[in-house]
Amino acid sequence: MNKVLLIYTGGTIGMGKNSLTGALEPLDFNHLVDSMPEFKLIKTEIDVYQFTPPIDSSDMAPDKWAHLVRIIMRGYQKYDGFVILHGTDTMAYTASALSFLLENLTKPVILTGSQLPIGQLRTDGKENLITSIELASLKDADGHARVPEVCVYFSGRLIRGNRSTKINAEGFHAFDSFNYPHLCDAGVSFTFHDHHILRPDFSKQMIAHLSMDPNVVVFSLFPGVQEHIVNNVLLSKEVRGIVMRTFGSGNAPQAAWLQHTLREAANRGIVVVNISQCVAGSVEMARYDTGCQLKQNGVVSGHDSTVEAAVTKLMFLLARHKDPNVIRGLMNRSLAGEISV
């Protein structure tokens, strides 16, 4: 029998109503199991690790990503796969972070959750949980994991974790991947899209990393953006990396002060990454003159990266490398399938 470790961090899937306020709050994992008798019918052997206390996903942070890595690292030889129950709000950030922290991953790490608590009649949590466990336990004809990468599973879609984005706060189709196809579509049967699934070197060990440098800021351009506000943020002495969300295919205003600020930041060793505010498509800094100016001032392309992947990749690289030029080069390489280059 295959064996999966279920890691319960918290989130809507295990929430209940506070009797005093009526607000949803994380409950003990035993509540989740009691609300789901089907759990006992799953054929895969399951062990459980619970965050104590469970956390709201809004409180997810790099130290908790390191905690998840340690849990997976300790059980890596014992389990065929891992399922992480996680709140939806920051699930794409955690999935992206883990894809970089778990180098040469050879087993599935699937994040899932729900839009409705599992104890509610119309919950989407039961299907998401059961299917995630089944996907995490599957192997191919060679005995290797069927999907050996960090994924998000939600409402019939298995998505590469560092390509995922939360798209809906109310509907059950809460996640999608705009710049990369689904890895598997789960209907009556599983339809795997094998040529889109990462194939690691199964002869090599997984390398676990624990450090992230959170001295990063996300900066969105908009018409009327003010010089003094931008300078106060971008030229802060603590900032080491900037994810700049530009217009269209990577364009920015041609204002002299903005170009000067970006050039000054780059000269100080700050890594500035250009990603588009559009949900689909890629940054092409050579297409228009405005994009070319950014490149000339030291800004590097984030290609078709999501915000979540760009932020966590930058945190990961800043923790590993001191030379900003090395980091700029690696931001233009695909480390875990996060960009198309």
Side-chain angles (χ1 to χ4, degrees):
M1 183 179 289
N2 290 345
K3 197 168 187 178
V4 168
L5 179 63
L6 181 63
I7 305 169
Y8 175 61
T9 68
T12 299
I13 193 167
M15 284 186 169
K17 281 190 177 181
N18 184 301
S19 58
L20 296 177
T21 66
L24 291 174
E25 60 183 21
L27 298 176
D28 186 89
F29 181 80
N30 291 323
H31 167 81
L32 186 147
V33 174
D34 292 341
S35 300
M36 188 177 165
E38 299 93 332
F39 196 80
K40 299 178 178 65
L41 302 177
I42 298 173
K43 294 181 180 179
T44 301
E45 187 177 347
I46 302 166
D47 287 341
V48 175
Y49 182 96
Q50 176 179 334
F51 274 34
T52 305
I55 63 168
D56 187 284
S57 71
S58 298
D59 293 321
M60 189 55 68
D63 64 316
K64 295 180 176 63
W65 293 335
H67 184 42
L68 285 168
V69 170
R70 289 189 186 96
I71 295 166
I72 293 168
M73 186 170 53
R74 286 196 297 265
Y76 200 71
Q77 300 304 320
K78 183 177 179 181
Y79 298 101
D80 298 291
F82 303 84
V83 173
I84 300 173
L85 295 181
H86 195 289
T88 58
D89 287 347
T90 59
M91 186 182 292
Y93 285 96
T94 297
S96 296
L98 292 178
S99 75
F100 304 121
L101 293 170
L102 300 169
E103 184 181 347
N104 195 50
L105 182 67
T106 59
K107 297 184 178 184
V109 175
I110 301 177
L111 288 86
T112 193
S114 66
Q115 294 286 65
L116 286 174
I118 206 162
Q120 292 192 14
L121 183 63
R122 295 181 55 249
T123 184
D124 53 328
K126 292 182 180 180
E127 190 277 327
N128 287 345
L129 175 55
I130 291 171
T131 303
S132 295
I133 291 171
E134 186 170 356
L135 287 166
S137 68
L138 289 179
K139 294 183 179 180
D140 62 19
D142 297 321
H144 296 140
R146 195 71 174 80
V147 189
E149 55 177 292
V150 179
C151 306
V152 167
Y153 178 79
F154 231 87
S155 193
R157 301 166 175 169
L158 185 68
I159 302 167
R160 177 167 297 163
N162 56 35
R163 296 283 192 155
S164 65
T165 296
K166 186 176 180 181
I167 61 168
N168 197 320
E170 296 183 353
F172 289 149
H173 290 287
F175 288 86
D176 212 340
S177 171
F178 292 100
N179 288 322
Y180 199 78
H182 301 165
L183 304 182
C184 177
D185 292 300
V188 174
S189 58
F190 292 142
T191 303
F192 288 98
H193 309 294
D194 291 314
H195 52 297
H196 297 307
I197 298 172
L198 287 176
R199 303 307 297 174
D201 187 340
F202 288 100
S203 67
K204 294 183 179 180
Q205 295 292 316
M206 186 271 290
I207 302 172
H209 303 278
L210 298 171
S211 299
M212 301 285 266
D213 185 338
N215 291 302
V216 172
V217 65
V218 179
F219 162 51
S220 290
L221 291 172
F222 57 90
V225 62
Q226 293 296 298
E227 177 180 0
H228 63 282
I229 297 175
V230 171
N231 286 345
N232 285 338
V233 175
L234 301 194
L235 298 180
S236 167
K237 64 179 182 179
E238 290 83 10
V239 172
R240 292 191 63 210
I242 298 167
V243 174
M244 184 171 65
R245 301 181 67 239
T246 56
F247 307 127
S249 58
N251 304 308
Q254 298 185 58
W257 67 263
L258 178 60
Q259 300 300 329
H260 173 75
T261 298
L262 293 172
R263 183 168 59 252
E264 185 177 346
N267 289 339
R268 288 176 50 199
I270 297 173
V271 180
V272 185
V273 182
N274 181 1
I275 66 170
S276 176
Q277 295 179 21
C278 302
V279 295
S282 181
V283 163
E284 298 181 41
M285 293 168 68
R287 178 180 290 185
Y288 298 104
D289 183 57
T290 52
C292 288
Q293 286 187 34
L294 294 177
K295 189 174 182 179
Q296 291 167 3
N297 288 317
V299 177
V300 298
S301 174
H303 300 278
D304 56 352
S305 176
T306 63
V307 175
E308 297 91 339
V311 168
T312 54
K313 182 178 182 180
L314 197 48
M315 287 182 178
F316 172 71
L317 292 174
L318 287 168
R320 297 193 68 196
H321 304 282
K322 299 302 180 185
D323 187 341
N325 289 321
V326 171
I327 297 171
R328 291 181 183 116
L330 290 170
M331 287 301 299
N332 276 281
R333 285 175 49 193
S334 175
L335 303 183
E338 73 282 358
I339 55 175
S340 303
V341 289

